[in-house]
Amino acid sequence: MKIGDPLMDTLLEKSFEMGVKRPIQYTNRKSYEHIAHLPEFRELQKRLQTVPSWVDHDRIQKAYSFYRDNITLIFAGMATGLIESYTYPNDAKVLEINGGLTGIKGTMARLNRTVQFVHDVVSNKRIPEFGTDTFNRIVNIRFIHAFARKYCKDSPDWNEDFTPINQFAQAGTLIFFCQTPIELVKQRGIAVSPEEAECAWQLWRYVGYLMGVEEELLPETYEHGLLLKYHPIVTTRQNTNETSAKLAETTIEALSQDIRVPFHKPIFRAQLKLYVGDDVYKALNLPMPTW
């Protein structure tokens, strides 16, 4: 809870000290050329080029087949995962301070980044290779997180006793993107084999590594991830509040206006209520489904 991404945070602090006080874009070499000589940047590149021994290439390739066959349902499930994440208000406050409540236009811009990130993760044929556009876009989210973390910590509105976008929160987000959609697919009566679920998690586990999550915090298996999600240390932090409700409302409205996303508000709300339960749904202050 106290640790963010030490390597990235140090790089950003040094960038600010050099007078470059803006987000660094890993997708644009000119954006980071002023820090490319730093030992921290060289260490980052070294780690990004190192594929951990536990990465299962065969399973990750199977994960891509699974996602191709279920892509529409998976994206709908990830929208549910996003809203579920808002019910942890301490983490949702990061979005509030960084402009997450600025209306539909700002929400759509944020969702565009999220949709692109998820697409980059699940829409490949093999593991993203260092230096490719897809790889760079995935890692770029890590740079965005570093800037958002610093922005929060420097804001007078941040008065929490933990680090924003910390290691624990980032590991949890992986589960919202992997386990939540798959469990929702199962809830709809669609069969997902244990092996398919495991293959999907091994993909997201590697993505967590690229995003700077410490390896010991990445659950080794899909089932371990589920156990983490429902562990008391996690569930006791769920406390839906006004910020959660506002984020949910603007997210649903933004999704309904995005012509690229197959989205139907009444159906989505009914499925969301079924997944999160009556109490959480009521706390989100969303219209009650009529069917």
Side-chain angles (χ1 to χ4, degrees):
M1 298 289 283
K2 301 288 186 181
I3 301 174
D5 186 343
L7 195 57
M8 288 298 306
D9 295 340
T10 300
L11 274 172
L12 193 62
E13 287 293 343
K14 290 189 174 183
S15 176
F16 270 59
E17 290 170 3
M18 293 175 184
V20 183
K21 301 181 178 182
R22 54 164 171 74
I24 298 170
Q25 299 176 21
Y26 192 68
T27 53
N28 181 355
R29 185 178 295 272
K30 289 185 177 181
S31 180
Y32 61 77
E33 62 183 7
H34 65 291
I35 59 170
H37 67 285
L38 296 175
E40 291 86 359
F41 189 81
R42 292 197 295 270
E43 177 63 22
L44 172 67
Q45 295 289 78
K46 178 182 176 181
R47 293 186 190 182
L48 290 175
Q49 292 179 70
T50 302
V51 180
S53 60
W54 47 259
V55 170
D56 191 326
H57 293 264
D58 290 339
R59 274 182 157 170
I60 288 177
Q61 193 161 351
K62 291 177 183 177
Y64 292 133
S65 296
F66 168 75
Y67 280 121
R68 281 195 299 272
D69 292 343
N70 299 279
I71 193 65
T72 300
L73 291 173
I74 291 298
F75 269 96
M78 287 178 181
T80 299
L82 270 180
I83 292 177
E84 186 182 22
S85 72
Y86 302 155
T87 65
Y88 296 81
N90 289 338
D91 296 329
K93 190 173 182 178
V94 174
L95 290 174
E96 183 180 10
I97 292 175
N98 278 276
L101 300 180
T102 54
I104 302 303
K105 186 176 181 179
T107 301
M108 289 188 74
R110 175 168 53 82
L111 287 177
N112 281 339
R113 290 194 297 268
T114 302
V115 169
Q116 182 65 59
F117 170 68
V118 172
H119 181 270
D120 286 333
V121 170
V122 306
S123 300
N124 297 289
K125 293 182 179 179
R126 60 182 181 274
I127 190 170
E129 295 181 2
F130 178 84
T132 62
D133 289 344
T134 297
F135 185 97
N136 291 345
R137 285 195 299 267
I138 291 172
V139 176
N140 191 57
I141 300 298
R142 186 173 175 182
F143 281 79
I144 292 173
H145 284 172
F147 187 84
R149 186 162 44 246
K150 178 173 174 55
Y151 189 88
C152 278
K153 291 171 72 174
D154 292 347
S155 169
D157 295 325
W158 185 262
N159 52 11
E160 307 294 339
D161 61 353
F162 62 91
T163 299
I165 318 181
N166 56 66
Q167 290 281 312
F168 184 81
Q170 291 189 84
T173 299
L174 296 171
I175 292 169
F176 288 130
F177 280 152
C178 181
Q179 276 82 345
T180 293
I182 289 176
E183 293 304 304
L184 191 59
V185 167
K186 292 179 183 178
Q187 191 179 69
R188 293 176 179 178
I190 299 172
V192 178
S193 72
E195 177 62 14
E196 287 175 321
E198 189 58 45
C199 290
W201 173 246
Q202 292 307 315
L203 168 60
W204 283 98
R205 185 185 178 194
Y206 175 57
V207 169
Y209 168 81
L210 294 180
M211 297 294 290
V213 181
E214 297 294 336
E215 292 183 57
E216 60 266 25
L217 289 179
L218 293 168
E220 292 187 9
T221 68
Y222 180 89
E223 288 301 321
H224 286 163
L226 277 184
L227 290 174
L228 174 63
K229 180 179 179 181
Y230 297 114
H231 192 282
I233 196 173
V234 176
T235 57
T236 54
R237 295 177 64 246
Q238 188 176 38
N239 182 26
T240 310
N241 64 7
E242 185 178 343
T243 298
S244 311
K246 186 62 177 176
L247 284 167
E249 177 189 7
T250 55
T251 296
I252 290 173
E253 188 59 36
L255 286 167
S256 70
Q257 293 186 23
D258 191 336
I259 61 174
R260 301 169 304 167
V261 179
F263 189 81
H264 187 264
K265 279 196 285 189
I267 293 177
F268 179 78
R269 287 172 181 153
Q271 293 169 343
L272 177 65
K273 179 175 179 290
L274 181 63
Y275 186 78
V276 301
D278 292 347
D279 291 342
V280 171
Y281 189 87
K282 288 177 183 177
L284 287 170
N285 200 31
L286 294 170
M288 294 299 292
T290 56
W291 52 277

